[in-house]
Amino acid sequence: MNDMEKLLSASLSRSVERAPTAPSDLLHRVDATRRRRRRGTAAAGAAAVALVTVAGFVATGAISHARPAPAPASGTAKVEPIRKAWPGAVHTAPRTLPNGRPYTAERFLDKDTVLVRTLRDGLWAYHLDTRRAERLVAVQVPKGTVASWSFTALGDGQLVWWTLRKDGERRVVDIWAAPEKGGAQRRVTSFEGRPGRAEIGNLAVVEGKVVWSMFWDGGLFQVPLSGGRPSKVEGSTGRHLLRWPWAASFQHPRRKKDLQTPPFGDLLNVLTGERRGVSLPVDDPRLPWNCVVTWCVRGDRAAARDGSRERELPGLTHDLPALDRFLAVTMNGGGRMKGMALVDLATGKTGDLGIRPVGNEMATPTLDYRAPGLFAYELGGKQILVNLTVAGR
């Protein structure tokens, strides 16, 4: 068995466990109960990194199993340096704020300003042009908090996030909001969750409401941004929010025959009732396609849900596409990893991140499909921040 086969064999056993994961608490560094299901690894934000051993390909982060494939409908695009691929979308920033505190970049507030959060100070606006930072929210975390949000949602001028706390034998989820321009946080709602299954998987702000799906059991819920009691979105039982208003049922491949069904294959628009399936061949029952709203991926292949636009990727996939189009891949050559790239499935454009193996290891940044338009990774002691919204124009 060569190095590539070892990687693929090891990752296959993990690929059946991929589902949206609850993150660790970034403000308290408390690990949430989770499995590293690569469907939506939060891993402390969009800049999460897995170290992968090159010699023997022993991976700490799962990489989708791949197989020899027929010639693609669209060939592999030219790979060019990421700054050349998307001029104006790539920024370099220091690893700490001016006060010396390390931070996690979450999303772009505008083309020159990034929302970041620190371990103890809360949410900040970091200005890339002036290297100045201003604290927007001094986040207060309730006593007993055991897990918190992956990404801060933004809508209707409000920043929104969630926390999970222990209250005796109860598990209580709190949803919070604060003004986008800065101010005190307020509790939007609280509700009790099932012990061990109370984490929120995905959350958004739309039309004056906070909407979310539960990580473990699915189901979409909503509450007015002004506050109130949560209510369930009709027809959403067991579904997971991919990108509002689209939600998919998650088919966990517990049995061999289940592997023939894409885990997020059954897609529903919860506003209109429109449903979409997947029209892609199941020529390898061990390796289902993994889908978001428009695209499906597996191994080194990508295709639209309707089977069109199938193409070969310049490497193996790590996660589902962010913003329904951007995908991080590990480039390989001669059975060994040689670098990382960002692929825009909508255009085929591909940018080399500049990451290379060091000795027997290589850092592989994670691009979570829930990431709100920002992809971050470290290179040469600096943070590289990619504005995916600008790159997609």
Side-chain angles (χ1 to χ4, degrees):
M1 181 179 290
N2 62 30
D3 286 347
M4 181 63 71
E5 289 170 336
K6 290 177 183 177
L7 170 64
L8 299 180
S9 176
S11 65
L12 177 60
S13 63
R14 289 188 291 267
S15 68
V16 300
E17 296 184 354
R18 303 196 308 173
T21 55
S24 57
D25 182 353
L26 292 182
L27 296 179
H28 284 267
R29 300 298 188 189
V30 179
D31 288 336
T33 301
R34 67 178 185 173
R35 300 173 187 173
R36 190 166 179 79
R37 300 189 186 190
R38 298 288 299 179
R39 168 71 59 183
T41 303
V49 173
L51 279 178
V52 183
T53 301
V54 178
F57 275 98
V58 180
T60 63
I63 297 177
S64 300
H65 184 66
R67 60 170 184 81
S74 300
T76 303
K78 175 184 177 182
V79 180
E80 53 188 353
I82 191 169
R83 292 182 185 275
K84 184 176 180 181
W86 294 287
V90 184
H91 306 267
T92 301
R95 296 171 62 183
T96 62
L97 296 178
N99 63 10
R101 294 194 183 280
Y103 64 88
T104 298
E106 291 217 355
R107 65 186 307 143
F108 281 88
L109 296 174
D110 59 44
K111 66 181 183 66
D112 295 314
T113 308
V114 180
L115 178 71
V116 306
R117 59 174 162 168
T118 57
L119 182 60
R120 296 183 178 87
D121 291 334
L123 295 169
W124 295 69
Y126 181 72
H127 303 276
L128 294 167
D129 49 353
T130 63
R131 295 292 191 260
R132 182 173 58 88
E134 56 182 308
R135 188 164 65 177
L136 300 177
V137 188
V139 175
Q140 301 296 316
V141 178
K143 181 180 178 180
T145 293
V146 295
S148 64
W149 70 109
S150 308
F151 304 103
T152 304
L154 174 62
D156 293 345
Q158 296 286 303
L159 302 168
V160 179
W161 65 96
W162 64 272
T163 54
L164 171 65
R165 57 186 164 91
K166 284 185 178 181
D167 182 6
E169 297 300 317
R170 302 167 65 234
R171 300 295 182 269
V172 179
V173 177
D174 298 298
I175 295 180
W176 309 88
E180 177 186 356
K181 301 300 183 181
Q185 75 184 66
R186 61 182 174 85
R187 183 183 279 108
V188 176
T189 193
S190 298
F191 60 91
E192 186 173 353
R194 295 174 57 192
R197 306 179 73 85
E199 297 92 345
I200 287 178
N202 202 0
L203 181 146
V205 181
V206 292
E207 300 177 352
K209 298 181 295 186
V210 183
V211 297
W212 67 92
S213 60
M214 301 306 295
F215 164 61
W216 293 104
D217 299 326
L220 271 63
F221 300 84
Q222 60 188 358
V223 68
L225 188 53
S226 58
R229 297 183 61 181
S231 61
K232 192 170 184 177
V233 176
E234 184 177 356
S236 68
T237 298
R239 292 186 176 273
H240 298 262
L241 178 63
L242 296 184
R243 192 175 185 185
W244 182 261
W246 294 99
S249 58
F250 178 69
Q251 173 68 55
H252 194 289
R254 301 181 187 279
R255 299 165 299 180
K256 184 176 181 180
K257 68 177 183 179
D258 293 336
L259 291 170
Q260 301 181 37
T261 303
F264 281 162
D266 181 14
L267 190 65
L268 172 71
N269 184 316
V270 297
L271 292 180
T272 67
E274 179 187 351
R275 300 186 73 157
R276 296 179 185 175
V278 177
S279 299
L280 289 166
V282 186
D283 43 13
D284 185 344
R286 300 171 302 163
L287 183 62
W289 292 88
N290 297 307
C291 304
V292 283
V293 177
T294 303
W295 292 94
C296 299
V297 296
R298 66 173 185 178
D300 61 355
R301 311 291 294 179
R305 275 180 173 262
D306 63 4
S308 65
R309 295 181 283 175
E310 184 175 356
R311 66 189 59 181
E312 183 180 4
L313 301 171
L316 297 175
T317 60
H318 288 244
D319 283 297
L320 289 169
L323 296 189
D324 201 28
R325 61 189 294 180
F326 290 99
L327 190 67
V329 303
T330 301
M331 297 185 292
N332 304 286
R336 299 176 63 85
M337 291 183 295
K338 65 178 184 179
M340 291 285 299
L342 180 67
V343 179
D344 182 354
L345 296 175
T347 64
K349 188 175 293 187
T350 302
D352 188 332
L353 304 187
I355 295 174
R356 296 293 182 267
V358 177
N360 289 333
E361 293 185 336
M362 186 177 77
T364 58
T366 296
L367 177 55
D368 194 306
Y369 76 96
R370 301 167 296 179
L374 185 150
F375 177 40
Y377 63 96
E378 290 190 7
L379 185 68
K382 301 287 186 178
Q383 284 210 66
I384 308 300
L385 308 179
V386 185
N387 190 330
L388 299 179
T389 302
V390 171
R393 292 173 183 167

